[in-house]
Amino acid sequence: MKGKKRQALAAIETRREQLGNLSDSLWDHPEVGYHETFAAQTLAQALEQEGFQVQRGLAGIQTAFSGTFGSGGPVIGFLGEFDALPGLSQKADCTVQAPVQEGNPGHGCGHNLLGVGSLAAAIAVKQYLQENQIPGTVKFFGCPAEEGGSGKGFMARAGVFDGLDLAFSWHPGEVNSVSTESTMANYQISYQFQGVASHAAMSPELGRSALDALELMNVGVQFLREHVPLETRIHYAITDPGGSAPGIVQPHAEAIYLLRAVHLPQVRELYQRVNKIAQGAAMMTETSVVITFIKACSNVIINSELNRVMQQNLEEIPPADFDEGDLELARRVQGTLTPSKSYFETLYEEITDPEERAKLEQDIHAPIHRAVMPLAQERQGFVSSDVGDVSWNCPVAQINAATAPAGIAMHSWQMVSVGKSPMAKKGMLYAAKVMAGSAIDALEDPTIIQRAKEEHKFRTGGRPYESPIPPDVMPRIL
Ligand SMILES: [Zn+2]
Ligand SMILES: [Zn+2]
């Protein structure tokens, strides 16, 4: 590793304690999407202390912010998340399920680490620009409500990511790997039926059931499933069954639908077809339906050039120094897990090169995966992420870093429990260095940015980003 890069990455190591405390303070104040006032304030203050220019309230969202350092191009962004999950409160380092406060949120997706890790990367790049008097701008984006709120989608709609040359992010988890999976585009919509209440036995002829309409809509959608592209995903939740008394004709009912497909135009078409079914159901039952658009995400555009750079950095930068204490905690947590196929196993199964497989052999049964997975084949994932909307604006790459025991599930109490442990913080600092190292490589070799942009243009067909969220839809969390 070149001296300048090593020096910049040392900025992360010298702030080790401070960054760990920042992550812990976010863990101690878990806040759900669009309510992350403590996290936003804490991270924004940390940026100001480092000399970043902070802009708060981006896109009209109180907890969306950015910190900018430097001037001129290239402009490199780091994406930070910090929202927690509702109801996942759990005591730290505790290997039985025990909430700190019953019903409170908890960091089950490790976003306390995610936000601080990306911030640490931004600080290292700032250090690099400053020490070497190099033109360029580094930006940290405080992105609220990743969990179900599509915060980045609303920020993208407002043009927050305009002018970026590249962006990097990461996710805490159980493996060290570059993310080569594209995500699905999605729409989330509410269908509210309105009918007429009546005594279901005495005067059923006077009632018009909103619940009947809702059930007919769902039946219609089940038939639609046969006639959509193979990868399509259609999910729904009945959020209002219209009441609990069968003796009353239900005058209101609501379902929330989540429609996913590989490409946005496919989701748009699916949405129109589902709307027709809802309207048909309303017509059949002489009720009415109000269709409310909640949010949307674009698919993630993979960038193999940036993925290659991130893979190099994953392999070049010394891995997290997990010690016996970390392994011990990991083993205890593993004792509470229900056996299932892990992400590591999924990636491992796909490796065909016997040499690569041999390299990972020692790691298969390790309590924490320390190895770096080889760069995987690109593939279509079935989840969605609001990083998709950033990736339509500029080339984006993401890594996963091991911050938790092997085999752990996201959104679990176990994930909350290890979120404050030394193991988690070690993984976070490793991820920060890999992201910063990748950005520094791009600053040192302009052909990286050039190639990444050419690829981006090719993959998007040169189409400019168009927000999938209509202009009148406001951010909210369900
Ligand atoms: Zn999550
Ligand atoms: Zn997450």
Side-chain angles (χ1 to χ4, degrees):
M1 200 188 307
K2 283 198 203 147
K4 284 182 195 170
K5 182 169 163 182
R6 188 179 311 122
Q7 239 174 334
L9 298 189
I12 295 172
E13 215 40 61
T14 54
R15 288 165 180 78
R16 200 178 180 118
E17 202 181 318
Q18 182 195 334
L19 293 165
N21 292 341
L22 262 183
S23 170
D24 285 353
S25 72
L26 264 52
W27 191 100
D28 286 334
H29 295 84
E31 300 159 309
V32 294
Y34 297 126
H35 295 275
E36 315 96 326
T37 45
F38 175 86
Q41 187 54 16
T42 304
L43 297 177
Q45 267 170 6
L47 286 165
E48 278 169 340
Q49 278 163 12
E50 290 285 348
F52 283 74
Q53 285 284 348
V54 171
Q55 257 191 297
R56 293 175 167 83
L58 297 177
I61 304 167
Q62 207 202 338
T63 53
F65 63 97
S66 68
T68 305
F69 182 91
S71 60
V75 185
I76 295 181
F78 294 99
L79 310 174
E81 298 165 9
F82 36 72
D83 57 328
L85 288 152
L88 261 189
S89 176
Q90 166 64 31
K91 286 181 184 160
D93 304 320
C94 178
T95 49
V96 288
Q97 189 169 9
V100 180
Q101 179 85 49
E102 188 76 52
N104 272 16
H107 273 291
C109 211
H111 292 182
N112 56 311
L113 303 161
L114 203 170
V116 176
S118 293
L119 182 130
I123 292 172
V125 174
K126 175 212 85 167
Q127 193 89 351
Y128 177 83
L129 294 172
Q130 205 170 26
E131 272 172 10
N132 302 296
Q133 299 287 316
I134 285 170
T137 303
V138 57
K139 284 186 133 190
F140 172 86
F141 293 95
C143 308
E146 189 278 331
E147 302 285 359
S150 287
K152 296 181 200 73
F154 288 95
M155 291 165 79
R157 186 182 68 177
V160 167
F161 304 109
D162 288 0
L164 272 182
D165 287 302
L166 305 176
F168 296 100
S169 194
W170 75 292
H171 206 287
E174 57 138 10
V175 294
N176 299 310
S177 68
V178 171
S179 173
T180 55
E181 210 171 86
S182 182
T183 60
M184 305 276 267
N186 76 19
Y187 276 17
Q188 191 152 299
I189 317 108
S190 145
Y191 294 91
Q192 272 177 309
F193 291 92
Q194 198 66 43
V196 180
S198 177
H199 194 295
M202 212 178 338
S203 48
E205 72 283 4
L206 298 180
R208 296 293 179 268
S209 172
L211 182 59
D212 287 357
L214 183 60
E215 290 193 70
L216 287 165
M217 173 186 176
N218 292 345
V219 170
V221 171
Q222 316 312 359
F223 279 98
L224 173 71
R225 288 180 198 277
E226 196 187 342
H227 309 284
V228 294
L230 192 61
E231 297 87 357
T232 304
R233 295 287 187 274
I234 306 175
H235 329 290
Y236 64 88
I238 296 176
T239 43
D240 173 18
S244 53
I248 303 170
V249 174
Q250 286 81 0
H252 50 82
E254 185 198 46
I256 289 181
Y257 267 78
L258 181 53
L259 312 176
R260 302 185 211 254
V262 175
H263 301 291
L264 266 177
Q266 294 171 321
V267 186
R268 202 176 304 134
E269 195 190 318
L270 186 62
Y271 168 61
Q272 283 154 2
R273 294 175 76 188
V274 172
N275 285 354
K276 281 184 195 161
I277 292 172
Q279 283 149 357
M283 191 190 272
M284 281 194 275
T285 50
E286 295 181 328
T287 60
S288 60
V289 61
V290 175
I291 301 170
T292 311
F293 199 103
I294 300 171
K295 65 163 194 88
C297 272
S298 301
N299 56 313
V300 162
I301 304 286
I302 297 292
N303 196 280
S304 59
E305 173 64 14
L306 290 190
N307 279 353
R308 181 189 62 78
V309 174
M310 289 204 100
Q311 180 72 24
Q312 256 173 16
N313 278 274
L314 270 175
E315 287 170 14
E316 179 188 15
I317 288 162
D321 48 348
F322 298 121
D323 59 23
E324 200 33 59
D326 298 320
L327 300 179
E328 215 279 308
L329 173 63
R331 277 187 213 104
R332 279 198 292 130
V333 172
Q334 281 184 320
T336 71
L337 303 176
T338 341
S340 64
K341 193 170 169 187
S342 71
Y343 187 49
F344 179 93
E345 285 165 329
T346 307
L347 294 177
Y348 182 77
E349 273 177 11
E350 283 175 13
I351 303 169
T352 45
D353 181 357
E355 233 173 85
E356 294 282 10
R357 284 179 85 96
K359 268 195 254 170
L360 291 167
E361 219 141 80
Q362 273 194 323
D363 220 53
I364 294 173
H365 302 293
I368 314 172
H369 294 307
R370 301 184 211 217
V372 172
M373 300 305 272
L375 193 60
Q377 290 275 335
E378 274 178 43
R379 59 187 165 146
Q380 181 61 51
F382 293 99
V383 298
S384 304
S385 161
D386 61 1
V387 172
D389 290 89
V390 186
S391 79
W392 273 86
N393 279 270
C394 71
V396 172
Q398 308 179 78
I399 53 159
N400 302 297
T403 61
I408 203 162
M410 294 291 115
H411 295 200
S412 63
W413 65 262
Q414 289 94 340
M415 190 66 191
V416 188
S417 155
V418 296
K420 256 180 119 174
S421 64
M423 137 182 43
K425 286 177 251 183
K426 287 173 188 175
M428 171 183 84
L429 297 183
Y430 172 56
K433 290 175 199 168
V434 172
M435 284 188 286
S438 305
I440 290 168
D441 286 352
L443 286 165
E444 292 194 339
D445 177 2
T447 65
I448 291 176
I449 299 181
Q450 200 189 325
R451 278 193 297 270
K453 282 189 162 180
E454 273 163 21
E455 182 183 340
H456 186 260
K457 199 173 166 190
F458 175 76
R459 288 187 186 241
T460 57
R463 285 190 298 277
Y465 170 66
E466 237 181 274
S467 172
I469 309 172
D472 57 327
V473 175
M474 288 298 121
R476 65 158 157 153
I477 208 94
L478 290 172

